[in-house]
Amino acid sequence: MTAAKLIIDKKREGRALGSAEIRDFVNGFTAGEIPDCQMSALAMAICCRGMTVRETADLTDVMMRSGASIDWKGVVDRPVADKHSTGGVGDKLSFVIQPLAAACGLAVPSLVGRGLGLTGGTADKLESIPGYKVSLSIDELKRVVADTGLAMATQTAEIAPADRKLYALRDVTGTVASIPLITASILSKKLAEGAETIVFDVKCGRGAFMKDQAEAHALAESLVSGVRAAGRRAAALVTDMDAPLGFAVGNACEVEEALAMLSPGAESGPLAGIVGLSVEFAALMVSLARGVPLDDARAECRARLGDGSALAKFREMVAAQGGDLDAFARLVARPKVKYRIQSMRSGYVESIDAERVARVALSLGAGRWQPGDRIDHLAGVRLAVGRGDKVSIGSPLATLENSSDPDALERAAAELLKAFTVSPTPPEAKPLVIERIG
Ligand code: URA
């Protein structure tokens, strides 16, 4: 215990910890020999004092080694790659990027998370598909990836247990917002997953963890250098998260929108912006994993999206994990309670505040305030307009919906209206990709 206290003191004074100190502390905490109070104190000292690139790599390594790592040798003979998003509002891009990369010949074993707080969780969205088994053992994950080239499942108990234990503490001790801790947490799981190429979508803006570009840039650099320190390939795009991505924010409605994004022709319709962004990410994965020029990878991704191969890959994965997309179609067609909000002004939609939209979706039942809260998979917000669209007084702006609670819709409607800013002149166009790192 004395050694643990000295390590906490050292970090509190702003000094770099040695590799053995980091290893012994984390291993002691995982084994239950170092109590939660000391781990929390060290996490707070790291939050306040930061860590060097080497310390972050050491922390990542010991957290990754706290559990199993997946070995893909002999299971798949294609490059293994994945994409990780730091989380956004309406972020259903994984349902397009991962199948698209798999359709281009990569093996994609994607470990996905649940939503807590404002950003939605890919695992919760997938569970809106009746029968979909989101929790797989490592052997099941291997079988699905070997059969289809793609799996999307939650972190198994065997992967990075140190992270699971530490994250639960960080959540209640105000120590989530730390670049070294976020980096080690994300990378310990992603590296254990066995991907040789990892591409990051670091979200930046009102609906993201990282509110400004300097913070998002620093996190992107930290993630990319952490993967490279482990001898693997990585790149990151910092992307705009001020407005929700696409028109649907919720669970089932996002899967429905993703199916539309995967459908041939979507690249030129109203979803063109986020389909284009998905192509960009998939192309980056293909280019890095296979060592082909980015332009060639882009062309291949567009072709696999256009000929329906990416959609077929998504359907194949859903079936392999027990999901029934016919039952899903019946579910989303079920009557829901709805409430429509309209514009009170004429002009152009200047902004749609992603954070406010996320709060509204959460209040309708689409997310959790506490771990363990029940989700209404049919709850959510469907935007009727996007940034830059022209509206008149009375034009529909959005619909709030859920399974059976009309009072919640009415209560949230005024709040949702505040998410929209309508101005007399069209806003300047804003690219979704802010910068590339790596
Ligand atoms: N996601 C993670 O997995 N860990 C963090 O610390 C933050 C986001």
Side-chain angles (χ1 to χ4, degrees):
M1 294 310 132
T2 314
K5 184 183 172 302
L6 292 179
I7 291 171
I8 298 166
D9 287 344
K10 190 170 173 184
K11 182 45 69 186
R12 194 196 61 236
E13 286 159 10
R15 289 184 286 143
L17 303 179
S19 304
E21 289 172 324
I22 294 172
R23 189 192 57 225
D24 293 347
F25 201 106
V26 173
N27 285 339
F29 166 65
T30 311
E33 289 151 12
I34 289 184
D36 288 359
C37 59
Q38 286 188 311
M39 186 70 241
S40 303
L42 183 64
M44 184 56 85
I46 294 171
C47 258
C48 298
R49 292 299 199 162
M51 276 185 142
T52 64
V53 170
R54 194 267 310 147
E55 285 178 287
T56 307
D58 287 339
L59 182 61
T60 303
D61 188 64
V62 64
M63 281 168 55
M64 181 191 82
R65 289 178 198 280
S66 69
S69 289
I70 307 179
D71 184 359
W72 293 99
K73 271 192 227 83
V75 181
V76 289
D77 53 7
R78 341 171 187 186
V80 180
D82 197 8
K83 183 240 28 165
H84 177 84
S85 162
T86 57
V89 179
D91 186 4
K92 69 279 297 171
L93 266 55
S94 290
F95 300 137
V96 180
I97 298 168
Q98 272 86 328
L100 189 46
C104 292
L106 306 188
V108 186
S110 208
L111 294 183
V112 296
R114 295 201 177 275
L116 182 64
L118 289 184
T119 57
T122 300
D124 299 318
K125 295 172 198 178
L126 284 166
E127 278 183 342
S128 67
I129 303 172
Y132 192 95
K133 189 175 169 203
V134 79
S135 161
L136 301 180
S137 66
I138 290 181
D139 284 344
E140 287 170 325
L141 183 81
K142 282 183 168 173
R143 185 185 48 74
V144 176
V145 175
D147 291 350
T148 70
L150 171 68
M152 291 179 125
T154 46
Q155 175 188 359
T156 71
E158 302 112 293
I159 302 272
D163 173 61
R164 201 159 337 102
K165 209 171 161 200
L166 176 54
Y167 195 87
L169 274 190
R170 288 169 59 212
D171 207 25
V172 293
T173 54
T175 51
V176 170
S178 148
I179 286 179
L181 292 177
I182 295 174
T183 302
S185 168
I186 293 174
L187 294 190
S188 59
K189 293 170 284 205
K190 285 285 154 190
L191 294 172
E193 181 188 294
E196 295 138 7
T197 300
I198 308 173
V199 166
F200 296 97
D201 181 359
V202 179
K203 301 277 184 212
C204 171
R206 280 187 289 206
F209 223 11
M210 298 289 151
K211 304 289 179 204
D212 68 61
Q213 200 187 330
E215 277 183 319
H217 177 94
L219 177 58
E221 287 222 313
S222 179
L223 290 167
V224 169
S225 58
V227 176
R228 290 182 175 165
R232 315 203 198 164
R233 288 177 289 268
L237 299 180
V238 174
T239 63
D240 181 72
M241 194 59 258
D242 273 339
L245 288 164
F247 297 94
V249 178
N251 292 287
C253 62
E254 289 200 31
V255 174
E256 202 182 7
E257 189 166 68
L259 286 166
M261 289 166 71
L262 284 162
S263 298
E267 257 199 288
S268 55
L271 296 168
I274 54 171
V275 172
L277 184 59
S278 307
V279 167
E280 210 48 37
F281 275 108
L284 206 47
M285 285 169 75
V286 170
S287 159
L288 287 177
R290 299 214 325 245
V292 296
L294 188 56
D295 278 342
D296 294 357
R298 266 192 205 110
E300 190 175 339
C301 288
R302 286 201 190 103
R304 296 292 81 79
L305 194 60
D307 67 10
S309 314
L311 177 59
K313 190 55 77 184
F314 181 75
R315 289 181 168 280
E316 218 182 311
M317 173 201 72
V318 169
Q321 292 191 225
D324 179 346
L325 284 172
D326 294 331
F328 175 76
R330 290 194 293 278
L331 176 83
V332 291
R334 271 218 310 245
K336 298 176 266 289
V337 287
K338 298 185 184 195
Y339 191 101
R340 202 163 83 166
I341 58 161
Q342 298 170 342
S343 182
M344 319 266 257
R345 305 176 61 172
S346 291
Y348 296 87
V349 178
E350 167 146 350
S351 63
I352 307 173
D353 182 341
E355 185 174 352
R356 228 182 254 276
V357 175
R359 276 188 202 290
V360 167
L362 207 60
S363 74
L364 302 181
R368 298 185 186 83
W369 297 108
Q370 300 290 334
D373 282 355
R374 206 186 68 80
I375 284 185
D376 174 359
H377 284 113
L378 292 180
V381 172
R382 288 181 197 261
L383 304 175
V385 292
R387 191 173 173 274
D389 283 353
K390 196 164 187 229
V391 291
S392 315
I393 295 175
S395 300
L397 292 179
T399 304
L400 303 92
E401 42 189 53
N402 68 18
S403 298
S404 58
D405 185 359
D407 294 345
L409 304 182
E410 243 184 285
R411 275 197 306 272
E415 185 62 18
L416 185 59
L417 198 55
K418 289 190 210 146
F420 293 84
T421 305
V422 175
S423 303
T425 50
E428 260 179 46
K430 217 164 122 189
L432 280 173
V433 176
I434 298 170
E435 62 171 325
R436 174 178 167 170
I437 284 117

